[in-house]
Amino acid sequence: ATDVGRALGQLAMPTSLEEAEALGDARQALVGLGDLALACPAGSRDNKRFLVWIEEVVDRVRNTPVGRSLLLPGGWCTRLGGHPLVYAVRRHHGHYALAVTNCGDGLEYHPIVADPLLDGFRYAHTVVLDDVDPGTLMDASTWALLYRPLIFPAPGKKQSEHIYAKVLPFLNKRPLMASAYHERGGVGGGGPGSAAARDPNDSGTPNEPFGGGDDRVAPLTAKARGGDASCARL
């Protein structure tokens, strides 16, 4: 991540002011992600180093300007290895959004979406939790809970369950699938009570706090089995 971020800073190509700002933001986020990942005491079981590192995470969250995003390393450790996640924190006026990106173990906790390129269904790699109270993400205990599986090795299923079934729903006080459905334009998405509707000056849209995509299906849509994209065989 650090190398990619530095490479973005060395691009020799004409860009508009908006493009230059976007590249600068991406570069800063990737370099910060790499630095935090290198300093993380993953699998160490070292409480002292863990607390020092958590303080750095909280400080970066607190100092993220409105309208900007912060990339953070995540995941869990097991006795034989582990699995990485990437967290993206975006600050809005009066609230935060947290995106969780996963490309492997633990995807069973993510919603299933239609993929025209595959002519079938797949798990969405990213889930966005909107309406996270600033006090929650500025509390070191929140991050200690979220990062405990990364510092203290345990069986993978137990670690993923801790993150997805216990900590993430706590952040915005709603079930994880409710967050996924809200983000993809489900019931209540973008209505008068949504965060973006309350804040017309924010750059985020009601259903896409991070820019989002075009996947707009219910998260519990049946997954194709045996190559049957029609889902006739479940």
Side-chain angles (χ1 to χ4, degrees), residues 24-214:
D25 291 347
R27 175 184 178 278
Q28 183 177 357
L30 288 168
V31 170
L33 172 64
D35 290 344
L36 278 175
L38 289 173
C40 178
S44 67
R45 299 180 183 271
D46 189 327
N47 277 308
K48 186 176 181 179
R49 291 174 59 200
F50 182 31
L51 292 176
V52 171
W53 189 74
I54 287 294
E55 289 177 0
E56 175 64 22
V57 171
V58 173
D59 187 60
R60 294 195 184 197
V61 171
R62 182 181 295 113
N63 291 317
T64 299
V66 173
R68 298 284 290 275
S69 298
L70 171 69
L71 295 181
L72 299 171
W76 58 84
C77 284
T78 66
R79 293 180 180 178
L80 301 178
H83 181 69
L85 302 174
V86 174
Y87 302 127
V89 177
R90 186 168 183 84
R91 188 169 190 171
H92 300 281
H93 291 282
H95 75 286
Y96 282 85
L98 175 73
V100 183
T101 298
N102 186 349
C103 293
D105 294 345
L107 274 177
E108 64 269 19
Y109 291 98
H110 286 230
I112 294 172
V113 298
D115 190 332
L117 294 179
L118 296 177
D119 192 23
F121 296 87
R122 63 171 175 81
Y123 285 105
H125 291 300
T126 300
V127 174
V128 179
L129 285 69
D130 201 8
D131 290 324
V132 180
D133 186 79
T136 300
L137 291 191
M138 294 183 188
D139 188 340
S141 62
T142 298
W143 294 102
L145 287 171
L146 187 60
Y147 278 121
R148 180 177 176 79
L150 191 58
I151 310 303
F152 298 90
K157 289 294 182 182
K158 181 179 180 181
Q159 302 283 58
S160 60
E161 180 183 5
H162 173 85
I163 292 173
Y164 281 101
K166 297 179 180 179
V167 181
L168 294 181
F170 159 77
L171 296 183
N172 64 350
K173 300 177 176 60
R174 66 178 66 142
L176 187 61
M177 284 297 103
S179 293
Y181 195 28
H182 172 80
E183 175 223 342
R184 295 181 181 279
V187 176
S194 68
R198 291 194 303 270
D199 184 8
N201 295 321
D202 206 315
S203 58
T205 61
N207 297 319
E208 301 170 334
F210 279 84
D214 293 324

Side-chain angles (χ1 to χ4, degrees), residues 112 120-123 220-226 228-229 231-234:
I112 294 172
F121 296 87
R122 63 171 175 81
Y123 285 105
L220 300 182
T221 301
K223 182 182 179 183
R225 302 284 182 177
D228 180 10
C231 289
R233 293 178 293 177
L234 299 178

